[in-house]
Amino acid sequence: MAARRPMIIYASLSLSGKTLIDYLKKQTYKDDQDYSGERLNEMRNPSGMKGTFSMDAIELNHHVQMPLLGMGVFQVTDYGLCKRSILTALNIGYRLIDTAACYEKEGAEGEAVKECGISRKEVFLTFKMKIQDAGYDKTMRSFEKTLKNLQRDYLNLYLIHMPYRDCYGSWRAMEELYQAGKIKTIGV
């Protein structure tokens, strides 16, 4: 089965008349492709695109600024494609990465954010917990696993993906994680 291209949340954003979707459709992805050095610099200013775009943001609770445009990796089944897609998005200006535990791509996302050369403070990570991880104890355990897999020490936004089962226990755990500085803001 062929890997699906990444789902990207976007508006009518234009980069010199081309959207990120148009750019990604033209890319050829190879597992052994080098995404460091010269290739990474080329991605930062790809042919036919003049620089990167600036990103508008909205203020959430706790004075957290969230970019209005982001990239999601739902249905990207290939690990390498996921990582390369995130690197491409980050290097042309995207700053929000949206993912969930059920997508099982935390490793690729963590590697991409680590390798992109962009300060962690500039990358907004949104993560949604699995329904099966509802409840206080399960939420605490799954959150620590998520941080380890993403190779990060905090998340910008942590969400209850679907409010089933013990979502009240999950919310209490998320409030504690927020108080500990491991999450910048929380939601459902």
Side-chain angles (χ1 to χ4, degrees):
M1 178 177 183
R4 294 183 183 184
R5 294 230 182 252
M7 179 181 87
I8 300 173
I9 303 164
Y10 75 105
S12 59
L13 178 71
S14 177
L15 304 164
S16 301
K18 298 181 181 184
T19 66
L20 178 61
I21 298 291
D22 295 329
Y23 176 71
L24 287 175
K25 283 180 182 175
K26 293 177 185 172
Q27 298 304 299
T28 54
Y29 296 103
K30 298 176 184 170
D31 288 335
D32 61 347
Q33 200 161 0
D34 180 25
Y35 284 87
S36 59
E38 233 175 88
R39 176 67 180 132
L40 195 56
N41 287 331
E42 179 187 325
M43 289 169 62
R44 287 196 176 116
N45 192 4
S47 176
M49 300 175 115
K50 294 180 173 63
T52 60
F53 53 88
S54 63
M55 185 63 61
D56 288 333
I58 188 169
E59 187 170 294
L60 304 175
N61 292 336
H62 314 296
H63 307 289
V64 172
Q65 296 290 316
M66 182 180 85
L68 288 176
L69 183 64
M71 178 177 170
V73 295
F74 176 63
Q75 296 183 339
V76 180
T77 57
D78 180 75
Y79 187 95
L81 176 60
C82 180
K83 180 179 171 181
R84 290 187 298 275
S85 298
I86 292 170
L87 275 170
T88 300
L90 289 169
N91 284 301
I92 65 168
Y94 279 69
R95 291 298 179 264
L96 184 148
I97 305 299
D98 175 83
T99 190
C102 60
Y103 305 165
E104 300 178 345
K105 299 291 180 292
E106 296 127 306
E109 295 145 359
E111 287 176 21
V113 172
K114 190 175 184 178
E115 292 174 19
C116 72
I118 299 167
S119 165
R120 169 61 182 98
K121 290 181 180 180
E122 291 182 43
V123 178
F124 192 98
L125 292 175
T126 299
F127 196 84
K128 298 174 287 286
M129 76 171 77
K130 285 184 182 180
I131 297 170
Q132 297 86 339
D133 292 335
Y136 181 88
D137 292 332
K138 287 181 180 179
T139 297
M140 293 299 251
R141 282 193 303 272
S142 70
F143 180 81
E144 290 305 321
K145 181 182 175 187
T146 294
L147 286 186
K148 182 180 176 188
N149 290 341
L150 288 170
Q151 305 172 51
R152 299 286 152 248
D153 55 357
Y154 73 94
L155 292 176
N156 299 85
L157 176 58
Y158 195 48
L159 299 170
I160 295 175
H161 204 167
M162 294 180 201
Y164 299 120
R165 300 187 180 180
D166 183 14
C167 60
Y168 299 106
S170 293
W171 191 261
R172 284 193 317 275
M174 291 165 62
E175 285 178 327
E176 284 184 26
L177 292 164
Y178 166 77
Q179 293 296 330
K182 293 186 175 192
I183 305 171
K184 300 300 179 188
T185 195
I186 58 180
V188 177

